[in-house]
Amino acid sequence: MFTELNSILNASPDSLTPGEFILLSDRRSDASFLIHHFLSFYLRARCRVCFLGLVQSFSHYSAVSQRLGVSLTQAKEKGQLVFMEGLKEALSTLIPQASSSGSQAMDFLRDPAAGLRSLYEFVRSSAADSGAAGGWGPPVLLVDDLGVLLSLGVRAGAVLDFSHYCRAAVCSQLQGNVVMLLRCDGEEEEEEEEVGEEEGSGWLLRGLTHQCSLSLHVEVCWRRRRRDAQHKQKQIFQYKVHDKGASFFARGTSSAVL
Amino acid sequence: MAAPLNSVGKPQAERLSYNSTSFQKKTRSKLVSIPGTRPSVQNGQLLVSTGVTSLDYLLGGGLAVGTVLLIEEDRYDSYSRMILKYFLAEGVVCRHELFVAAAQDNPDDILQELPSPILDDVAIPKPMEQPRLSCDPQDSLDTMKIAWRYQNLPKVQSALASSSRFGHYYDVSKTMDPEIRQGAKCHRFHPSEQHAHSSNTHSPMLESYSAMLKSLQEVIHREGFDLAVPMSKSRNILRVGLHSLGSALWGDDLCCHDNPKHRHALTTFLYGLRALLRSSLSVAVVTVPSHLIQDRALMGSITRLCDNAIALESFKGSEREANALYKDYHGLLHVHQVPQLNCLASQLPDHKDLAFKLKRKQFTIELCLIYYDNYFLCKTCVPLLESETADECQEQKSCDDAKI
């Protein structure tokens, strides 16, 4: 949890805004440090967290969270965290074996064209459980990252459907929060996007930006865009990732410059 | 007085116990005992050498076990193939097991071309024998003989002696002694040998890729590289070398079309490969002919599914070859991605201006500094000068000619 980011966003683990959909995105940069922030943030806020870790192993997230002062293993044991390790689940689908009967969450790998229904079912069931296991706050869904779904052959439209369903289930019905990370490829190709191809991360990013209530975009510079009912407000900060956190500052005020 | 003494003594005792526990924690890890590996200074990951010492340095000490190194091939695939061979040769010297897959030629061809290791530390005589050198000539002849014999030591001993070191040097002009090579256990995969058995038509993966993934998983399970299965015998590392993935010979059409049919085949395979490696004691080097892939966005997602990514840009066949500025180097090396393993911040190299040269006994990567007009310039400023200097060099040459 980066305290500086919290103060920028006016957020603290004690006072959560229900029903928020936060989009993290990047281009020619790496926004994955933000997902670690939100993971530790919501665990501190005593929310029940469902984490779809599609790109890295559990040990990676666990080691980073340890540095940020949160133990994922303990959270898992206490029933606060549901961790779906995409890499582990994918193997049984990618290399079919007679004996294996893994969870259905990664079923879309068998036929990516069919969409992400199985993954959504997993999210809904684990988010709806939160009422039963006592003591935890509203459910939170974290996804790292949506871009890998595109690489695995899922259509951008299907990913957009998935995010929309998740938002309806978690944000609207259960009054929880959703945080999704999307890592975009390459340059901003304006001309190509105008052709109207329903492919690629640029198209998906525009669709998701339309859905979300708060979008954090990491580029060579870092941008925060908050959308209220009436007006859009955009703030730009510069950042530096350290060993155990990140610091943010207004443009041109880094200690390296001053 | 007793109370203050107690209060002073207590923290000391606590500190002591704290110290001893933290010390134990380090020695407890059993992985370090594998030859040819060392723990990373930054995040405690287990590292293996790529066989190219300067590349190890660039990647933060070496390749972390469980990760993939992507090498974007140079145009003629000469230097990328060389690095792959270095990687495999290092595995042979450290007695790791190998898994080699290639479609272009037989994996055995790559194995036969492995460079010969320079095991200089083996030739050094033991300290006990050194005093004899100063005695009469007959004795020194004897020691010479012993030293000579040391060079032809049986393979087991040479491997043992050398395994204490991390990273070796190789003589590219010679191929590795078959005896040493056969000492390492090697698994081969060639797509044409696999019989096509179509299991799932919906899956985006190609048959050649899924067959390879399956064969790799079998090796990992059978030979005990799986981390999930507790093993009684000593652990070893599996080095996976996959040559020219994405080329047409794998049945892939990434390189042939602007809008390939099997667009997601390679990325899905790399996802599966990452899943396999993360749960086992293995490490992979993958080369991809990226100059043939038109779609940069696709190349971006391929890079993202690997952990380390470097690209080689050889001067061979380019106009830079003739440019006097680059005469010291064979090509440029770009570091596209370094992994963030178990930490937030990644360790990017200090400099981006890197060039490589292949000498007989060493593949070196260094900061590409070019001496021009009494200044050292880095590579990024050079393109502006390139045409200019090329002309000047010509002029200089003609002046020199005129003087003669």
Side-chain angles (χ1 to χ4, degrees):
Chain A
M1 192 171 73
F2 313 146
T3 39
E4 285 185 42
L5 185 59
N6 281 343
S7 62
I8 291 172
L9 298 177
N10 271 333
S12 83
D14 306 322
S15 62
L16 287 175
T17 327
E20 253 193 326
F21 176 32
I22 301 172
L23 174 68
L24 315 174
S25 58
D26 65 12
R27 196 182 290 280
R28 285 187 298 164
S29 188
D30 193 350
S32 51
F33 69 98
L34 290 172
I35 204 86
H36 296 293
H37 159 77
F38 282 104
L39 179 57
S40 56
F41 176 84
Y42 286 117
L43 286 177
R44 286 253 175 94
R46 298 187 57 79
C47 292
R48 192 187 147 94
V49 179
C50 171
F51 192 96
L52 304 185
L54 300 172
V55 284
Q56 293 286 359
S57 59
F58 175 74
S59 59
H60 168 78
Y61 295 110
S62 162
V64 177
S65 299
Q66 201 80 51
R67 282 171 186 240
L68 297 177
V70 175
S71 166
L72 292 195
T73 356
Q74 273 181 21
K76 236 167 104 172
E77 281 164 9
K78 282 191 284 184
Q80 189 188 3
L81 174 71
V82 179
F83 192 97
M84 209 272 293
E85 197 175 345
L87 286 171
K88 211 175 244 174
E89 307 283 340
L91 263 190
S92 58
T93 323
L94 286 175
I95 310 169
Q97 276 151 339
S99 57
S100 74
S101 56
S103 91
Q104 307 291 305
M106 295 293 275
D107 253 5
F108 65 87
L109 281 171
R110 283 206 189 95
D111 184 11
L116 296 168
R117 199 189 171 81
S118 52
L119 195 60
Y120 167 68
E121 293 293 339
F122 173 80
V123 168
R124 204 190 49 175
S125 66
S126 52
D129 277 349
S130 61
W136 306 117
V140 172
L141 170 69
L142 296 158
V143 185
D144 180 28
D145 81 78
L146 291 176
V148 81
L149 294 174
L150 297 179
S151 302
L152 291 172
V154 182
R155 281 180 308 108
V159 177
L160 209 53
D161 287 348
F162 170 71
S163 76
H164 188 75
Y165 272 96
C166 288
R167 191 166 70 108
V170 179
C171 294
S172 303
Q173 275 182 11
L174 299 165
Q175 288 297 301
N177 287 5
V178 175
V179 181
M180 290 189 180
L181 171 70
L182 174 65
R183 304 199 56 196
C184 294
D185 319 285
E187 313 290 316
E188 232 161 333
E189 289 157 29
E190 295 291 334
E191 308 90 44
E192 229 170 86
E193 279 173 23
E194 274 170 24
V195 179
E197 248 184 300
E198 201 199 293
E199 273 298 325
S201 47
W203 186 87
L204 179 60
L205 178 61
R206 285 192 297 169
L208 286 169
T209 314
H210 185 71
Q211 287 185 357
C212 71
S213 57
L214 171 70
S215 129
L216 304 177
H217 185 78
V218 173
E219 213 163 297
V220 183
C221 55
W222 180 83
R223 211 178 287 160
R224 168 208 177 208
R225 197 184 296 146
R226 180 166 202 129
R227 211 183 61 180
D228 297 330
Q230 298 302 320
H231 65 286
K232 284 183 186 178
Q233 178 194 352
K234 193 195 265 183
Q235 280 178 291
I236 299 176
F237 291 90
Q238 292 179 335
Y239 71 93
K240 172 150 178 60
V241 182
H242 308 296
D243 208 24
K244 286 185 177 171
S247 55
F248 301 87
F249 28 80
R251 272 190 290 181
T253 60
S254 109
S255 59
V257 180
L258 293 174
Chain B
M1 283 301 285
L5 260 179
N6 269 345
S7 64
V8 170
K10 214 175 173 185
Q12 266 184 345
E14 268 172 12
R15 212 176 302 144
L16 269 176
S17 68
Y18 172 73
N19 274 349
S20 66
T21 49
S22 72
F23 179 70
Q24 276 175 353
K25 198 178 173 189
K26 286 229 159 160
T27 49
R28 216 186 296 146
S29 84
K30 295 169 207 154
L31 298 175
V32 187
S33 58
I34 304 172
T37 64
R38 71 173 176 205
S40 158
V41 187
Q42 279 119 22
N43 47 18
Q45 287 274 327
L46 191 65
L47 300 179
V48 297
S49 170
T50 54
V52 181
T53 320
S54 46
L55 184 59
D56 286 343
Y57 172 72
L58 208 63
L59 300 173
L63 279 181
V65 171
T67 62
V68 185
L69 167 66
L70 170 74
I71 302 174
E72 294 185 24
E73 290 174 9
D74 52 303
R75 196 163 314 148
Y76 301 112
D77 184 28
S78 43
Y79 296 105
S80 46
R81 195 183 163 98
M82 202 66 231
I83 294 188
L84 182 66
K85 283 189 281 191
Y86 274 120
F87 171 73
L88 295 172
E90 179 71 21
V92 173
V93 173
C94 297
R95 319 229 100 209
H96 297 159
E97 286 191 28
L98 306 181
F99 181 95
V100 187
Q104 193 177 332
D105 35 25
N106 203 304
D108 277 321
D109 293 349
I110 294 183
L111 286 170
Q112 271 158 20
E113 289 169 13
L114 293 185
S116 157
I118 305 168
L119 300 171
D120 48 349
D121 51 347
V122 180
I124 299 167
K126 285 176 185 169
M128 279 297 286
E129 286 155 342
Q130 267 170 351
R132 292 172 71 192
L133 273 168
S134 55
C135 296
D136 52 351
Q138 204 140 39
D139 263 357
S140 74
L141 255 178
D142 259 350
T143 52
M144 281 296 284
K145 264 185 197 162
I146 288 166
W148 180 250
R149 263 184 243 143
Y150 264 103
Q151 288 194 324
N152 297 326
L153 264 183
K155 54 186 197 266
V156 183
Q157 275 194 33
S158 75
L160 276 176
S162 58
S163 66
S164 59
R165 250 174 48 192
F166 185 87
H168 295 85
Y169 292 104
Y170 298 88
D171 188 344
V172 191
S173 62
K174 283 183 265 177
T175 55
M176 191 182 274
D177 193 2
E179 257 180 55
I180 304 180
R181 203 179 64 227
Q182 276 146 22
K185 204 167 178 183
C186 184
H187 312 273
R188 298 161 184 82
F189 180 88
H190 194 257
S192 67
E193 288 165 12
Q194 306 299 317
H195 299 290
H197 32 223
S198 60
S199 53
N200 201 333
T201 45
H202 289 301
S203 170
M205 244 206 305
L206 287 169
E207 242 147 62
S208 55
Y209 289 153
S210 53
M212 174 154 65
L213 213 52
K214 191 158 192 186
S215 127
L216 181 58
Q217 193 195 31
E218 274 169 17
V219 169
I220 285 175
H221 280 308
R222 197 178 57 227
E223 308 290 333
F225 295 106
D226 205 338
L227 279 176
V229 184
M231 290 289 294
S232 53
K233 65 174 183 180
S234 63
R235 294 276 201 179
N236 203 353
I237 302 281
L238 178 70
R239 285 183 182 238
V240 183
L242 310 177
H243 181 248
S244 231
L245 286 186
S247 81
L249 291 156
W250 286 98
D252 209 333
D253 57 354
L254 288 180
C255 302
C256 322
H257 298 288
D258 279 350
N259 212 343
K261 215 170 86 190
H262 305 295
R263 197 184 158 81
H264 305 293
L266 183 55
T267 44
T268 312
F269 167 75
L270 287 174
Y271 191 73
L273 181 66
R274 172 181 274 191
L276 270 180
L277 294 190
R278 287 287 200 269
S279 59
S280 61
L281 276 176
S282 41
V283 55
V285 168
V286 171
T287 73
V288 170
S290 65
H291 56 278
L292 296 175
I293 299 175
Q294 298 297 320
D295 192 345
R296 295 327 289 171
L298 180 63
M299 205 52 224
S301 47
I302 289 174
T303 306
R304 208 153 317 132
L305 283 166
C306 298
D307 299 286
N308 302 279
I310 60 169
L312 299 175
E313 181 188 345
S314 134
F315 294 147
K316 221 188 271 174
S318 87
E319 55 201 19
R320 281 174 170 168
E321 191 181 18
N323 197 318
L325 289 176
Y326 291 118
K327 63 180 188 309
D328 291 341
Y329 303 108
H330 285 137
L332 303 178
L333 184 132
H334 310 281
V335 179
H336 285 171
Q337 188 173 289
V338 280
Q340 299 170 310
L341 292 164
N342 302 346
C343 57
L344 273 172
S346 58
Q347 299 283 328
L348 268 172
D350 298 335
H351 303 283
K352 293 220 154 181
D353 299 311
L354 297 164
F356 64 85
K357 61 184 153 190
L358 179 63
K359 293 188 281 193
R360 188 166 71 91
K361 291 188 172 176
Q362 206 176 345
F363 186 101
T364 50
I365 298 163
E366 47 191 65
L367 186 60
C368 180
L369 280 177
I370 288 153
Y371 189 71
Y372 171 70
D373 211 14
N374 294 333
Y375 292 104
F376 276 110
L377 302 174
C378 45
K379 190 186 74 197
T380 35
C381 348
V382 163
L384 306 167
L385 289 168
E386 259 176 8
S387 53
E388 206 179 307
T389 41
D391 295 343
E392 264 179 38
C393 287
Q394 280 295 326
E395 277 170 32
Q396 186 87 35
K397 211 178 176 190
S398 56
C399 282
D400 289 350
D401 288 348
K403 271 180 208 164
I404 295 161

